[in-house]
Amino acid sequence: MFLTFNMKNNHQNCQIQSFGSSSLNSITNPLMNWSYSIKNCISQGKFKEALLIYMHNRVNGSLIAGAVPLVLKACATLSMLSLGKALHAESMKSGFDCNVMVGTALLDMYGKCGEIGSARKLFDYMPERNVITWNAMIGGYMKSGDTKTAFLLFENMSEKTIVTWNEMIDGYARNGDMVMARRFFNRVPDGLRNVVTWSVMVDGYASNGDTDAARELFEIMPTRNFYVWSSMISGYFKKGDVKSAKAIFDRMIMKNLVNWNSLICGYTQNGLCEEALEAFTKMQDEGFEPDEVTVVSVLSACAQLALLDVGKEVHEMIIRKGIELNQYVLNGLVDMYAKCADLSNARLIFEGMLVKNAAAWNSLISGFATHGHCAEAINYFERMDSLGVKPNDITFLSVLSACAHGGFVEEGLDIFFRMEKYSLTASIKHYGCLVDLLGRAGRLEEACDLIKGMPVTPNDTVLGALLGACRVHSDTGVVEILLKEVRKLSYGSNSSKDAHYLILSNIYAAAERWEKAERMRFALSNKGSQKTPGCSVVMLDGPETNFMQVLPD
């Protein structure tokens, strides 16, 4: 069930999307104190429901000062700047903006929504400020990456709580400055340092890839919470150290859902999708109910394994258990159906989404491109462009691949040069797609000129794409030019260069230029390489790249 509310205030249009009907009783029961209902929703992390309750009752009632900070907290969490600004305007009209709690909540909302300038204006003109206000301002600067100003504020504070110290440590860690983070950790007064402080420091090391330092600190922690265990698990998975991540997980006597999610997500991100699904089953056997984070990882595992039946079961479970269909879950469903070639369901879910971000568009475009629906991929790209959704590198790779496979040469060239419009720099993969596009169309000289004029050095992928085209079109003229490039490919793997020499030999043989063909074979034998018996060199096409491999016959 979809519930959509629109509020127009001070020319701000705020739209909230929620799924399910869990908050309807709170909205429709006139005997319930709606301010308390909002507080109850916030405490349970139900931020969308809190906003629904507020907006429904706001129509028939006046602004309640006690509810404003709660609603602003929900706006900050959901990055709903428009509604936050509308509440700011209403607070000024009602005179609530002078209240230190309201002012601090407004400041925090602006900081978390990336409006650090507005947050600082509020801070400077607040008639009363407390330590929470200062902490919120420091947190805003840290989020924006301005660690110097955050440091100056910290030094000017007359009173510092453990939250202040934790904000500084976490802020430096999130900005990649682990030296300063550790200095602040070491400066924390012994009477203030708590398990959260230790956890923030360990998480900082783990998130920045220094698992050795994280492990050293983790082992000497006086007490550990669930969060720090998950930090260690995720840190090892991020480094690709699956064995150590699983060892940390197995050391836990008591586990919660967050820990299981870290394990399942880590397996999925490292391509161990079967292990992820096994962990998902075991998690449920131990009595844990999956949430949005769980199903996103599981859907990704199903997508990577192309397990459509399992993916459909997960989709049914999401509906049966009433798991919130947030942006990430919907994106996961679109991606799963698209990668499993169920494009009808992928399109159906996509079209039903009220908010479509770049990830959703990419999943659908890539799905169309991968499964041969090239015209649809291009059409959806054009629609994405016309709606003002900014495409990224992945978007262009997918649609260029579709153009190559569908023979849409002029469209592909136009799309490639549109990358500048979005301040995107074409990578070697994008050039590879363009070379493949021209090569498939038989425009080999243009493709060759493109390779010679590329701002990046051609790799074996790009050369392989054009060599494959030369073989299809039996063009030995372009081959003579490419031969020099193949010889210069000193950084390429031996197998890649061997494959190129084999194709060169086959091209010359097809053109009955036997002497040249034999010379290529001789070059291969002198390198100490030979074609694996019973194997063929083939072109493999993917949504992002085209590459050459030697596969068994």
Side-chain angles (χ1 to χ4, degrees):
M1 177 179 180
F2 293 85
L3 295 176
T4 304
F5 289 80
N6 294 300
M7 181 182 79
K8 191 169 185 180
N9 193 313
N10 298 317
H11 307 290
Q12 298 289 338
N13 292 318
C14 307
Q15 187 180 64
I16 301 173
Q17 177 188 346
S18 182
F19 304 88
S21 56
S22 59
S23 60
L24 282 179
N25 291 334
S26 300
I27 296 173
T28 57
N29 188 347
L31 301 176
M32 183 173 285
N33 183 323
W34 60 273
S35 182
Y36 173 80
S37 300
I38 291 173
K39 183 177 181 180
N40 188 44
C41 284
I42 294 292
S43 66
Q44 297 179 46
K46 299 178 179 179
F47 300 105
K48 289 181 180 178
E49 288 86 343
L51 293 181
L52 286 169
I53 295 170
Y54 170 76
M55 292 169 67
H56 177 83
N57 288 278
R58 179 67 189 93
V59 174
N60 302 314
S62 59
L63 197 67
I64 297 178
V68 174
L70 298 171
V71 179
L72 286 169
K73 182 176 181 180
C75 291
T77 303
L78 299 172
S79 298
M80 297 197 66
L81 183 60
S82 296
L83 179 56
K85 286 183 175 180
L87 281 167
H88 188 183
E90 288 198 54
S91 298
M92 291 177 67
K93 289 178 183 178
S94 304
F96 294 153
D97 60 316
C98 295
N99 179 288
V100 66
M101 290 181 63
V102 174
T104 300
L106 281 166
L107 185 156
D108 184 62
M109 182 275 299
Y110 279 120
K112 288 178 178 175
C113 290
E115 292 271 341
I116 193 66
S118 299
R120 185 56 191 256
K121 284 180 183 178
L122 266 173
F123 181 81
D124 289 337
Y125 288 101
M126 283 179 69
E128 180 186 356
R129 296 185 295 227
N130 58 22
V131 68
I132 302 173
T133 314
W134 284 81
N135 291 342
M137 194 69 246
I138 287 173
Y141 276 120
M142 284 297 191
K143 181 177 174 62
S144 69
D146 190 351
T147 57
K148 291 182 179 179
T149 307
F151 176 80
L152 291 174
L153 280 176
F154 175 86
E155 293 297 325
N156 287 324
M157 287 182 70
S158 57
E159 177 191 1
K160 300 177 179 71
T161 64
I162 188 56
V163 175
T164 317
W165 289 97
N166 291 345
E167 282 281 5
M168 294 299 293
I169 297 167
D170 185 55
Y172 278 117
R174 288 180 184 275
N175 283 281
D177 191 346
M178 292 308 302
V179 173
M180 285 297 292
R182 187 57 186 261
R183 284 180 187 173
F184 270 84
F185 176 80
N186 293 337
R187 284 178 57 190
V188 177
D190 292 335
L192 288 181
R193 186 181 293 152
N194 59 18
V195 66
V196 176
T197 314
W198 284 87
S199 299
V200 167
M201 192 66 231
V202 171
D203 181 66
Y205 278 128
S207 298
N208 282 278
D210 192 347
T211 50
D212 291 338
R215 183 65 173 266
E216 182 181 351
L217 210 60
F218 174 80
E219 296 297 349
I220 62 173
M221 285 181 69
T223 57
R224 302 186 186 101
N225 55 18
F226 288 111
Y227 175 80
V228 78
W229 286 93
S230 284
S231 294
M232 290 300 302
I233 295 166
S234 299
Y236 277 122
F237 271 126
K238 187 176 180 181
K239 292 267 288 187
D241 190 347
V242 175
K243 184 178 179 180
S244 295
K246 183 62 164 60
I248 289 287
F249 180 83
D250 290 338
R251 276 177 59 184
M252 297 185 69
I253 299 173
M254 297 288 293
K255 302 177 180 70
N256 68 3
L257 181 60
V258 176
N259 306 133
W260 278 103
N261 284 344
S262 297
L263 182 71
I264 295 168
C265 179
Y267 276 140
T268 303
Q269 290 176 345
N270 282 272
L272 301 172
C273 299
E274 292 179 359
E275 288 84 349
L277 294 178
E278 288 174 7
F280 175 59
T281 302
K282 188 175 181 182
M283 182 198 84
Q284 294 176 92
D285 291 341
E286 294 191 12
F288 291 93
E289 288 292 326
D291 65 0
E292 299 89 338
V293 178
T294 321
V295 297
V296 167
S297 296
V298 173
L299 286 170
S300 178
C302 293
Q304 292 181 52
L305 294 172
L307 294 176
L308 180 59
D309 291 341
V310 179
K312 284 184 174 180
E313 289 178 13
V314 175
H315 189 182
E316 291 170 1
M317 183 197 69
I318 290 169
I319 297 170
R320 186 174 66 253
K321 292 182 179 293
I323 296 173
E324 182 184 357
L325 288 164
N326 62 23
Q327 186 76 54
Y328 301 104
V329 175
L330 289 169
N331 285 351
L333 285 168
V334 172
D335 186 58
M336 184 275 294
Y337 279 117
K339 284 182 176 162
C340 292
D342 189 344
L343 298 175
S344 297
N345 270 320
R347 192 202 303 257
L348 185 65
I349 294 169
F350 177 85
E351 296 296 353
M353 296 169 66
L354 295 184
V355 179
K356 304 176 180 71
N357 61 13
W361 287 94
N362 287 349
S363 293
L364 196 62
I365 292 170
S366 176
F368 282 130
T370 303
H371 299 292
H373 298 263
C374 303
E376 286 90 338
I378 297 169
N379 289 336
Y380 269 86
F381 172 80
E382 296 295 351
R383 182 176 155 195
M384 176 186 185
D385 192 29
S386 66
L387 291 173
V389 182
K390 184 179 178 180
N392 55 27
D393 293 342
I394 297 172
T395 320
F396 278 98
L397 280 173
S398 298
V399 73
L400 285 172
S401 176
C403 291
H405 296 140
F408 297 98
V409 181
E410 298 306 324
E411 293 86 345
L413 290 170
D414 173 66
I415 289 169
F416 178 83
F417 290 113
R418 262 193 267 176
M419 291 186 72
E420 290 186 15
K421 170 185 171 183
Y422 294 101
S423 302
L424 295 173
T425 302
S427 69
I428 191 69
K429 291 182 179 180
H430 296 100
Y431 279 104
C433 283
L434 198 59
V435 168
D436 186 44
L437 171 72
L438 294 169
R440 286 171 184 260
R443 294 163 65 165
L444 303 180
E445 290 186 5
E446 289 180 59
C448 194
D449 290 339
L450 178 67
I451 287 177
K452 290 190 288 185
M454 281 167 46
V456 290
T457 304
N459 59 10
D460 62 317
T461 301
V462 175
L463 295 174
L466 189 50
L467 280 169
C470 289
R471 182 182 184 183
V472 171
H473 296 282
S474 300
D475 191 316
T476 58
V478 172
V479 166
E480 299 290 342
I481 300 171
L482 288 178
L483 182 57
K484 297 177 182 178
E485 298 296 334
V486 172
R487 286 170 178 162
K488 289 192 296 184
L489 196 62
S490 58
Y491 57 85
S493 65
N494 285 332
S495 61
S496 296
K497 287 186 286 185
D498 292 351
H500 295 337
Y501 278 114
L502 284 169
I503 291 180
L504 286 166
S505 175
N506 290 336
I507 293 170
Y508 285 127
E512 297 186 357
R513 298 180 65 178
W514 306 114
E515 184 179 346
K516 288 278 189 180
E518 187 60 29
R519 193 174 297 171
M520 291 300 103
R521 295 278 178 174
F522 183 73
L524 256 171
S525 62
N526 277 351
K527 286 166 73 270
S529 302
Q530 61 181 15
K531 183 179 181 293
T532 305
C535 292
S536 302
V537 180
V538 299
M539 291 293 298
L540 293 181
D541 302 323
E544 295 185 358
T545 57
N546 298 308
F547 54 95
M548 309 208 41
Q549 287 187 350
V550 179
L551 297 179
D553 288 335

